[in-house]
Amino acid sequence: PNAGPSRLALRGLDPSLRYRVSVWPDRDGTIERANALVRGGDDLMAVGLFLGPERHEAATWGDFRAWLFVLEAA
């Protein structure tokens, strides 16, 4: 089977707070749309941030792809 999309589970957040997530740069909006909701700290620590598409699509990106995620308590 093919592996699903990559996710990054976070640590050290307050599970009772809600966080607004923004992403930079996100040229096509895919990463931002997947993470842009206001999400609970418990959700971000359990489910994590969506990091991108499946491997076959990510293979076209080349090396050294990076994003900056900004979390603001809402």
Side-chain angles (χ1 to χ4, degrees):
N2 292 330
S6 298
R7 293 189 176 268
L8 174 66
L10 304 178
R11 298 185 310 187
L13 299 177
D14 185 333
S16 64
L17 288 180
R18 299 189 49 80
Y19 294 88
R20 180 176 298 109
V21 180
S22 56
V23 183
W24 184 87
D26 188 20
R27 291 173 183 86
D28 66 358
T30 304
I31 305 295
E32 179 117 35
R33 280 192 302 277
N35 293 299
L37 302 173
V38 175
R39 298 174 59 193
D42 55 346
D43 178 49
L44 289 165
M45 290 190 291
V47 176
L49 294 170
F50 175 75
L51 295 181
E54 296 181 18
R55 282 187 192 175
H56 69 278
E57 186 177 336
T60 64
W61 293 348
D63 295 334
F64 309 113
R65 182 81 160 198
W67 297 279
L68 173 66
F69 291 90
V70 178
L71 281 71
E72 299 175 87

